[in-house]
Amino acid sequence: MTATIESPAPQRPVRRTVPWFTLLRFAVVLGCTVVAFWSLWFELIEDLEQGSDIGYVIALPVLALFAAIGIALRHHDELPIYDRQSDIIIGLLGLGFAAVPMGLLVLRYRYEYEVLHLDLVAAPMFLMSVSVLMFGLRPVFRFWPAWLLMLAAFPPFYRGWVVALNGSTLANGAVIVVFAAIAAAIGAGRTRRRALAAAAIALAVGMVALVVLAVWFPDATVLVYQLIPPILAVYVSTTIMYLHHRDWSTVRPLNRPVRPLTAAQSRSAAVTAVVAAGLFALIPTPSEYKTPSPHIPGLVIADTLAAPPGWQLLDERHFPWVTRYFGPDTTWTRQKIRAVRGNPEWDKESRRRRLVVDIVRSDSPHNVDRYPEFTMYHLTQPRVTAGVRVDLGHGVSARLNTVLDDRRLLSWTWLSWNWQGTGGAQRVSLIAADNHLPGAEFPEPEPWAISNLDNLLHQFLRGNAVTLDPENSSGDIEYDVKDSAMLTAVATEMVRIGAGG
């Protein structure tokens, strides 16, 4: 009997040429995403310049990229079953799902734009859908853990954890370090043990980096806390696990075959992606929710405001929980003022009217608007009418709204403005109750919690019937707002005093 020696299976040759067609498809995917959400990118840049905490959305794609590289390195051969028609159908369905939050919900719930940022959910969905069009369904969904990680850009999810950790700058960094640990576990997760080890290393490196920043760089911005520790953590962790898997023998990451594209080239898929990008680019971001924040020369920003002539201060309260939501250098003060004399134009019985003045002060103009004012009050199923712009002089423009509580049959008139000066920025809200009696009930500030989430869900289920007064559903700004003359007079005097006029 003779023994035969089987020759080893031939190795797939390593392609040393640059995969130009692959790079071209990547360029189309990234270019379409940039064009489709151009207004979102400019909005994020503006927010970052003002000191916003939204910088974590820059770190998440980097973390997802590390996770995707790890998934690609442990790729196994699969059956060559690909259907470009199915790819295009699934891609179109994905684009439709991305269009729902971007084209409908973002514009409908304009006052919740900053707190929800639903376009940050639409952008990853658009990116994934265009990737399916260009690369095929199976290659794209091989990286489903990385796609899920990118969907964590939903601000309420991230900010909820930050608030639970006291809302400090260090808490912002700690939450994103946890995402870095998840990314490291995904990238190095050949086995559960390796995934746990990678996550532990990432957590350790990230926490050490946070401590270094807190001790030696206490004045670092929140963006530094959100970018440096998590990216450093996932890089160190995945590098260690990669070298350990190779027994520390080589650090060359590309000494392996570069697999050719499995999805055939399709001009219709590319045209579909470009057309979708153009249509998405035409969708505007809401702007009417914004209140201008001019810098007033001579204005000194403090926690309180002086009562205007003809009004007296009755009560003053402070809310310490505000730092967990708006940042460590933020205060919220509520002043209750009462007219010294009755005015028949404000009350037919000349009763002395009462107003509530809510003042949110911060070092950063963006922090005062981090949470929309209507979401920070205990309101049961509220409806908010379209805003009316009111000129208060000295370059200050206010927004006038009526808020109705259908369940308790109460209504209030709301006049709000933002301004900046020496010492930071303020958001001032004057609130008048429709009930003129001394015991009139005013909305009570409370942490953004279960009741506010219930209101948001209520709005999603009922739509425009919730957000607009049915008598003014067209958004006509010429309708008569109760107490508008009184609130405008009081606000104008407050602005005059603050501006030194």
Side-chain angles (χ1 to χ4, degrees), residues 4-168:
T4 59
I5 300 177
E6 296 182 358
S7 60
Q11 298 289 332
R12 295 181 65 178
V14 178
R15 295 178 59 182
R16 299 299 181 184
T17 59
V18 179
W20 293 111
F21 285 107
T22 302
L23 295 178
L24 180 60
R25 295 193 191 189
F26 272 116
V28 171
V29 170
L30 294 178
C32 288
T33 305
V34 171
V35 172
F37 293 88
W38 65 271
S39 57
L40 170 61
W41 312 135
F42 279 106
E43 178 78 22
L44 294 179
I45 292 173
E46 181 181 351
D47 290 346
L48 291 174
E49 290 176 347
Q50 296 179 357
S52 169
D53 65 339
I54 204 68
Y56 72 92
V57 301
I58 301 176
L60 279 178
V62 178
L63 303 183
L65 179 61
F66 276 95
I69 292 174
I71 295 174
L73 290 177
R74 58 178 183 267
H75 170 73
H76 300 289
D77 290 332
E78 57 189 17
L79 295 176
I81 303 174
Y82 305 102
D83 185 352
R84 291 300 282 152
Q85 291 184 351
S86 298
D87 296 338
I88 295 176
I89 292 173
I90 298 298
L92 289 173
L93 289 175
L95 291 173
F97 282 115
V100 170
M102 186 65 185
L104 298 179
L105 301 181
V106 168
L107 299 177
R108 175 173 292 179
Y109 308 110
R110 55 194 182 278
Y111 290 115
E112 290 81 18
Y113 176 71
E114 287 290 341
V115 69
L116 293 179
H117 249 308
L118 291 170
D119 44 5
L120 288 176
V121 177
M125 294 176 63
F126 179 90
L127 177 63
M128 182 172 59
S129 302
V130 174
S131 298
V132 170
L133 291 174
M134 300 303 298
F135 293 101
L137 178 63
R138 296 181 68 181
V140 169
F141 274 85
R142 187 185 305 133
F143 301 92
W144 65 266
W147 292 114
L148 286 180
L149 188 62
M150 289 189 65
L151 289 176
F154 193 37
F157 181 71
Y158 169 81
R159 287 172 175 165
W161 284 105
V162 172
V163 168
L165 296 177
N166 79 21
S168 64

Side-chain angles (χ1 to χ4, degrees), residues 402-424:
T402 299
V403 179
L404 304 99
D405 190 327
D406 287 337
R407 180 173 296 180
R408 294 184 292 175
L409 301 178
L410 299 174
S411 66
W412 303 272
T413 305
W414 224 287
L415 183 69
S416 305
W417 75 89
N418 292 17
W419 56 2
Q420 304 177 50
T422 304

